[in-house]
Amino acid sequence: AQSVAQPEDQVNVAEGNPLTVKCTYSVSGNPYLFWYVQYPNRGLQFLLKYITGDNLVKGSYGFEAEFNKSQTSFHLKKPSALVSDSALYFCAVRVEGGYNKLIFGAGTRLAVHP
Amino acid sequence: GAVVSQHPSWVICKSGTSVKIECRSLDFQATTMFWYRQFPKQSLMLMATSNEGSKATYEQGVEKDKFLINHASLTLSTLTVTSAHPEDSSFYICSASLRSPLISPQHFGDGTRLSIL
């Protein structure tokens, strides 16, 4: 069965420092992976996706993610964090077949401190 | 970019009333729309998948008679919470996919916070 794990409930980082939000996955076929961000009382905003190709995926707002097949990971990264990056981040994997629904991780709250 | 509009953003109503939430894709045709429920500080729980012109597919444990979903057109899906009770209070979010959803991201509405008194 497909699943997504985000091992950290919260990540704290100082502004200007690099950040990493971890995600590991389990799928039975090809992994289709996504990162979304959620601000308070809002829906989710799409950041980036991995379908195939280069393992380093670049997305919105300076975020990038590295796909690692051997470690079944898809960690979200940013070289220099901003206070405005503070939000809830979700990793998701698409389930093939049917209506291609998404399975979300539990979410990681990112807190960037000035 | 693709925009999904969800209305209303906030609803407060008495126990026993029915509440309808609309989800519209504003600049694209959405073959498939998804309805999620999110509890405080938790992840999104998929409730059902809605396809234009056909019955919704509900996830296990979701009462289809309680949460009525209609996808009458390629730009509109509605979720009706029937005879709502305080335990139905939650944040409901819809999303929509383009015709080739496998590689296209889902685009999310801003959610509806439902509070049942």
Side-chain angles (χ1 to χ4, degrees), chain B:
Chain B
V3 178
V4 174
S5 173
Q6 191 172 337
H7 178 81
S9 57
W10 198 293
V11 179
I12 301 175
C13 60
K14 294 181 179 179
S15 183
T17 58
S18 294
V19 178
K20 180 184 283 188
I21 302 170
E22 292 187 348
C23 181
R24 294 181 184 272
S25 57
L26 296 186
D27 53 357
F28 67 101
Q29 292 184 330
T31 308
T32 305
M33 289 184 171
F34 303 85
W35 287 95
Y36 297 87
R37 185 173 180 176
Q38 186 179 30
F39 292 100
K41 299 184 178 181
Q42 293 190 27
S43 188
L44 279 72
M45 180 191 77
L46 180 65
M47 299 174 65
T49 302
S50 166
N51 284 279
E52 185 265 338
S54 63
K55 292 183 179 180
T57 301
Y58 289 82
E59 295 298 303
Q60 190 173 8
V62 178
E63 300 177 60
K64 60 181 181 180
D65 294 331
K66 174 74 171 178
F67 300 99
L68 300 179
I69 291 172
N70 182 275
H71 194 156
S73 75
L74 286 171
T75 59
L76 174 64
S77 177
T78 60
L79 167 67
T80 301
V81 183
T82 61
S83 186
H85 292 286
E87 58 267 27
D88 299 323
S89 298
S90 191
F91 193 53
Y92 293 88
I93 308 175
C94 72
S95 72
S97 278
L98 297 172
R99 286 186 176 273
S100 299
L102 186 61
I103 61 173
S104 298
Q106 290 183 18
H107 302 281
F108 287 80
D110 273 344
T112 297
R113 185 159 301 283
L114 175 62
S115 296
I116 309 298
L117 304 177

Side-chain angles (χ1 to χ4, degrees), chain A residues 34-63:
Chain A
F34 301 79
W35 274 103
Y36 287 86
V37 60
Q38 184 181 32
Y39 295 97
N41 296 311
R42 301 293 296 275
L44 276 63
Q45 295 180 28
F46 168 71
L47 284 178
L48 50 79
K49 65 181 179 183
Y50 173 82
I51 304 299
T52 186
D54 290 340
N55 290 341
L56 186 63
V57 179
K58 293 190 182 296
S60 306
Y61 313 119
F63 283 93

